[in-house]
Amino acid sequence: MTAETNLPRALRPFGVAQYRLLAVALAASLLSAGAWLVAAVWQVVELGGTPVDLSLVAVGSSLGLVLAVLIGGVAADRIPQRRILITVEVVRGAAFVVAAVLAATGVIEVWHIALISFVLGVADGFFYPAYSAWLPALLPADQLLAANGIEGVLRPAVMQAAGPALASAFIAMQGPWLAFATVAVMQVVAAGVLGVMRSTPVRRDVDEVVRHPLRQVFVDLRDGFGYLVRTKWLLATLVFSIVLVFIIMGPIEVLLPFAVKDQTGGGAGAFALALAAFGVGGAVGSLAVASFRLPRRYLTLMILAWGVGCLPLAIIGYTSQLWVMVIALFLVGLLFDGAQVVWGTLLQRRVPPSMLGRVSSLDFFVSLALMPVSMAVAGPVGEAIGIAPAFLIAGLVPPFIAFATLAIARLGRDELAHPLDAAPPTDAGIVTGHEAAAGFAAPVDEPHPPASGGGPSRD
């Protein structure tokens, strides 16, 4: 059933029609998210906001994500993921319309932006698990790395480069309200494309016990946490991530706009350029990783890329040259997003399909649990010790944490015992991936131990 294609390895997912539609919807959604980021920040600046005000807005988004993502993971394992994604795009579009109306009428305040950011964070909490759980149902396993690479290109290039550039252009023309209105239109496009796609059946364990829906939510969450705790490579990576996010996200999200404004004298365009540099670096890194097979030492290289990739952040607070910030952020994006492609593929290859939504949500929840705290303290810390020392800490501490994680968790042994560069096992009686999405057959779970009762395997 698989169509032959001569496309390069990194582009082979585009040979599947359903994936092409999903990529268009994802691009439209990411464009609106990137434009919103700059428009919201500059709306706060135009209102005379301080780093503390910007922390409030950033906390709204991350808090909404953290509060919703666990339920989003349960939903992704129970509800057809296409329905979830369409609902998310509609909710996000409505939020952008509200922002545009408030800004155009001149009544918008910082708390309005924080509340809208919270709603968008809740929507994202349902989007990410549903997208991650749906992708393996649309594509064969050997194309997942390329698909994650494509997302890795789209996310920085569209959300962190094209989106901010689009927003800065509309801000220069009319103001943030026009950027808000534009991103609402992008959401209509995303929802419309998802609307013409086909739903795929949700993959569940065939022998699971049916319970009351409310009780089932708690059982699903329990099983997801149990799998997380028993799976050493997953637990170690997420513990590393939660510390990393706490150290770096506050300075990047809250202090970077003020570093650009105060140290370089730049405005919305300069800030957009800084974000674009991060995005372009991420696109280059993602495309490079997607163009090759998975590395043999995938856990080691992934953790080191995240940790060592923070080093360029140390110089951001000490330079008055925009081009230096641009180069530093390009390098951070290059290593971060390249490693993220490996991580997404790792989850989709080693996590049981029936638990992928929950594990993806736990990935976001655990790794982002301290993001609201990081956002909240970044503003006060920046005012107390200065922007330069805050970025210095964000750049120098993560590499030491990365080496400690690899040594303590002994991830090198795990990656050698579970290579991902070999072709996945096949079974003539199992139908999954793009064949199921195309309607040729209903997907059936690959064999794996049940989520509860008799401990699951660590791979």
Side-chain angles (χ1 to χ4, degrees):
M1 297 296 183
T2 304
E4 295 294 332
T5 177
N6 294 322
L7 292 171
R9 180 189 296 270
L11 300 179
R12 286 175 189 170
F14 286 112
V16 179
Q18 287 288 88
Y19 179 78
R20 291 196 297 269
L21 292 172
L22 180 62
V24 171
L26 178 64
S29 183
L30 292 175
L31 184 66
S32 67
W36 162 261
L37 175 63
V38 171
V41 166
W42 232 252
Q43 183 68 76
V44 172
V45 172
E46 287 189 359
L47 291 172
T50 67
V52 174
D53 292 321
L54 198 55
S55 288
L56 178 64
V57 173
V59 165
S61 176
S62 57
L63 184 61
L65 173 62
V66 169
L67 291 178
V69 73
L70 291 182
I71 301 301
V74 172
D77 285 336
R78 292 285 173 180
I79 303 171
Q81 294 91 2
R82 171 178 165 272
R83 297 181 189 175
I84 297 175
L85 295 180
I86 291 175
T87 302
V88 166
E89 303 299 1
V90 170
V91 170
R92 294 178 77 232
F96 294 144
V97 168
V98 171
V101 172
L102 291 175
T105 56
V107 299
I108 195 167
E109 298 180 15
V110 172
W111 73 268
H112 291 142
I113 305 174
L115 181 59
I116 293 171
S117 294
F118 175 81
V119 173
L120 296 174
V122 171
D124 286 342
F126 283 84
F127 179 92
Y128 292 118
Y131 177 86
S132 298
W134 199 22
L135 196 60
L138 300 179
L139 293 170
D142 61 357
Q143 291 186 13
L144 290 175
L145 180 65
N148 289 313
I150 292 168
E151 180 194 354
V153 171
L154 288 176
R155 189 170 297 279
V158 176
M159 186 173 75
Q160 295 159 351
L166 181 68
S168 63
F170 285 121
I171 291 171
M173 290 169 55
Q174 289 288 332
W177 74 268
L178 185 57
F180 295 149
T182 302
V183 298
V185 175
M186 292 296 100
Q187 294 306 124
V188 174
V189 173
V193 173
L194 289 169
V196 303
M197 294 182 67
R198 290 187 295 270
S199 291
T200 58
V202 177
R203 300 190 288 179
R204 300 295 304 171
D205 291 321
V206 295
D207 58 348
E208 71 174 354
V209 178
V210 178
R211 302 177 178 86
H212 185 277
L214 184 59
R215 183 185 176 192
Q216 188 65 54
V217 170
F218 291 100
V219 171
D220 285 351
L221 288 175
R222 180 201 65 192
D223 290 344
F225 272 109
Y227 180 83
L228 167 68
V229 171
R230 288 188 294 268
T231 308
K232 185 173 69 172
W233 64 266
L234 183 60
L235 180 62
T237 303
L238 293 184
V239 170
F240 166 74
S241 297
I242 194 172
V243 178
L244 182 69
V245 165
F246 174 73
I247 294 172
I248 71 171
M249 289 310 298
I252 292 176
E253 296 288 342
V254 176
L255 301 180
L256 181 60
F258 292 94
V260 171
K261 179 173 177 286
D262 297 339
Q263 294 171 208
T264 72
F271 178 54
L273 179 61
L275 291 181
F278 185 89
V280 171
V284 173
S286 298
L287 185 61
V289 172
S291 299
F292 299 97
R293 300 177 68 89
L294 276 167
R296 187 69 182 87
R297 291 281 190 176
Y298 55 90
L299 286 170
T300 299
L301 293 177
M302 182 182 70
I303 296 293
L304 289 180
W306 279 331
V308 177
C310 294
L311 283 173
L313 294 176
I315 68 174
I316 288 181
Y318 291 93
T319 180
S320 61
Q321 301 298 318
L322 181 62
W323 68 269
V324 175
M325 292 186 182
V326 165
I327 293 176
L329 291 169
F330 174 86
L331 294 174
V332 175
L334 180 78
L335 293 172
F336 261 60
D337 283 23
Q340 187 63 36
V341 172
V342 177
W343 175 241
T345 308
L346 172 59
L347 292 180
Q348 292 158 353
R349 292 285 297 273
R350 293 188 63 178
V351 173
S354 62
M355 297 187 67
L356 187 52
R358 280 168 288 170
V359 172
S360 297
S361 70
L362 285 169
D363 170 28
F364 280 97
F365 178 79
V366 174
S367 62
L368 302 183
L370 290 185
M371 180 180 282
V373 181
S374 181
M375 303 286 193
V377 303
V381 167
E383 292 183 344
I385 68 174
I387 291 178
F391 274 106
L392 186 64
I393 294 172
L396 297 184
V397 173
F400 292 99
I401 302 175
F403 284 107
T405 299
L406 291 171
I408 295 173
R410 299 182 178 180
L411 296 182
R413 294 183 179 180
D414 183 278
E415 63 193 356
L416 291 177
H418 302 92
L420 295 183
D421 53 356
T426 59
D427 188 326
I430 295 173
V431 181
T432 59
H434 60 304
E435 294 185 353
F440 296 125
V444 179
D445 270 346
E446 290 84 351
H448 61 80
S452 57
S457 149
R458 291 176 182 255
D459 51 54

